[in-house]
Amino acid sequence: FIEKALSLARQQGFVSYITPNKFLSAPYGRALREFLLTKHSFEQLVDYSSVPVFEGASVYPVISILRVGQKFSEQIEVMHATAAGTDFSLKQLISTNDLRRFPENIWGTVLGPHTGLCAKIYGISKTLENVASVQATSTAAEADEYSAYVYNQNGKAHGMKLVNTGTIDRYVPLWGTVSLTNKGEKYEQPILDVRKVKRERAELYATPKIIFAKMAKIIECFLDSDGSFASLNTNCVFAPKDGLTPKFLVGLLNTKLLTFIYRQVFAALKMSGGYFQFQAPQLRLLPIVEPSERMRIAVEQLVDQILVLHQKLAAVKTPHEQESLRRQIDATDGQ
């Protein structure tokens, strides 16, 4: 509809639409963003994402004002609406040069005040897909099929420990601690019989990897250092290169900084309740700094400390000891 309207309007004319904001960040909007960037001008965006404009509809709308046939302007004017109306005090002028620094012309940062900061970070980083492999651990069809091969351990030898979004925390799996729910069934110590899955999936599960929760408010991932976990409906990172190590990556990916960037860049993909889906197409575009040897070692040492504290936390029973260890984990994580 946007393309058609631009083709019908006269040169230097204006087109304005109310749409969901998802085209700013979603993969399916990539071609549209490129089309606007090279052929037309994005003059103004009015963000109504925080206002319940349409009763009964879970949508985050924006108003886009476009100019026909004019090369992309140097700045986009962005205004944010509140329940009381459009707040002109929150007006921003966002540099299109900053927007060009983002991979796939993602414009989600225009919904917040940190486009310039995020652009600087991308300017000194590589994307995750350029330093490691990023892949889903199953398709939806496979996850449905493999559900028939899940059982509780109960002393059975065949299979691998199984995790999913609900049993993944930052740095650690919750296998055996939190029950896994799959197809309405609960498993205390879930095992997947990998003899029955596709060969390429079994090989992936046996690979050292970082496994991500698929739906969460923050990035939650842990390092499966010896390839002992299978996983359904999640995503993983493996085979790092350019001198990066899995332990460094899991430390970096779990930082508040990477969650902050994800929330800014993919702001238009936020779901109700503040949740995000951490899927492979988005994870591939996270910025990864090339560390010095000193930085890499420091991060790995912090990860080791956090893992030790998590082991202690799992062993203690009293609330006081648990709270003390959680504070230590938070303090170490904050470094």
Side-chain angles (χ1 to χ4, degrees):
F1 282 98
I2 292 175
E3 181 183 11
K4 186 64 174 177
L6 290 168
S7 72
L8 292 173
R10 66 176 176 81
Q11 289 294 306
Q12 305 302 310
F14 289 91
V15 168
S16 182
Y17 269 130
I18 302 172
T19 67
N21 66 14
K22 289 187 180 296
F23 82 91
L24 298 170
S25 295
Y28 65 72
R30 181 178 183 178
L32 173 61
R33 296 191 295 268
E34 176 68 22
F35 175 68
L36 296 177
L37 186 68
T38 56
K39 302 294 184 182
H40 301 281
S41 179
F42 205 133
E43 296 288 314
Q44 189 180 74
L45 182 85
V46 186
D47 174 24
Y48 282 85
S49 299
S50 61
V51 182
V53 178
F54 302 107
E55 186 177 351
S58 296
V59 359
Y60 302 103
V62 293
I63 299 175
S64 302
I65 300 175
L66 313 169
R67 177 172 284 187
V68 180
Q70 180 175 320
K71 191 175 180 181
F72 208 88
S73 57
E74 293 183 1
Q75 292 180 318
I76 299 176
E77 184 178 71
V78 179
M79 291 183 289
H80 301 277
T82 66
T86 303
D87 188 348
F88 290 91
S89 67
L90 296 178
K91 183 169 69 175
Q92 302 168 264
L93 293 175
I94 295 178
S95 165
T96 54
N97 285 331
D98 282 344
L99 292 180
R100 288 186 175 92
R101 295 189 182 187
F102 295 103
E104 299 185 1
N105 295 320
I106 292 176
W107 298 342
T109 57
V110 303
L111 299 177
H114 302 294
T115 296
L117 174 60
C118 292
K120 288 180 181 178
I121 292 172
Y122 271 93
I124 60 171
S125 305
K126 296 180 179 179
T127 54
L128 183 57
E129 66 180 344
N130 286 319
V131 298
S133 296
V134 185
Q135 188 174 324
T137 57
S138 69
T139 64
E142 287 172 340
D144 187 59
E145 175 189 349
Y146 298 168
S147 294
Y149 314 143
V150 179
Y151 55 86
N152 272 308
Q153 190 175 39
N154 296 330
K156 295 182 180 180
H158 297 295
M160 298 177 68
K161 295 178 180 178
L162 179 67
V163 292
N164 65 2
T165 289
T167 53
I168 296 172
D169 205 349
R170 296 174 68 239
Y171 294 103
V172 292
L174 301 177
W175 188 92
T177 302
V178 174
S179 60
L180 179 146
T181 301
N182 185 62
K183 296 294 183 181
E185 297 289 332
K186 286 192 173 182
Y187 301 86
E188 300 305 319
Q189 295 183 319
I191 297 293
L192 177 67
D193 189 345
V194 292
R195 299 173 302 174
K196 298 180 180 180
V197 306
K198 293 179 180 178
R199 178 178 55 82
E200 55 268 29
R201 288 299 181 201
E203 291 175 351
L204 177 63
Y205 297 152
T207 299
K209 57 194 175 295
I210 299 169
I211 305 178
F212 290 77
K214 185 175 182 178
M215 188 178 298
K217 292 184 178 181
I218 63 174
I219 295 175
E220 296 174 330
C221 60
F222 76 94
L223 175 58
D224 176 20
S225 58
D226 56 0
S228 59
F229 284 91
S231 182
L232 298 180
N233 283 321
T234 63
N235 296 277
C236 69
V237 171
F238 58 98
K241 55 187 179 182
D242 294 348
L244 299 180
T245 63
K247 190 176 290 185
F248 169 80
L249 276 180
V250 79
L252 182 61
L253 290 165
N254 272 309
T255 59
K256 294 176 182 178
L257 174 63
L258 266 290
T259 287
F260 167 80
I261 293 171
Y262 197 97
R263 286 174 172 170
Q264 301 303 312
V265 174
F266 302 110
L269 302 182
K270 181 175 69 173
M271 300 180 295
S272 60
Y275 284 86
F276 286 87
Q277 288 197 41
F278 295 94
Q279 306 218 61
Q282 288 75 51
L283 292 172
R284 290 188 181 107
L285 303 183
L286 281 172
I288 304 297
V289 67
E290 184 177 355
S292 64
E293 184 71 5
R294 181 178 179 181
M295 176 184 176
R296 181 187 63 76
I297 292 172
V299 171
E300 291 177 350
Q301 289 175 343
L302 288 170
V303 170
D304 286 334
Q305 292 175 38
I306 290 171
L307 293 177
V308 168
L309 289 169
H310 271 292
Q311 289 176 348
K312 292 180 179 179
L313 179 63
V316 301
K317 303 299 180 183
T318 68
H320 176 74
E321 287 179 297
Q322 290 176 346
E323 183 58 30
S324 176
L325 284 166
R326 288 193 182 98
R327 285 199 297 269
Q328 290 183 55
I329 291 171
D330 289 341
T332 306
D333 188 27
Q335 298 178 49

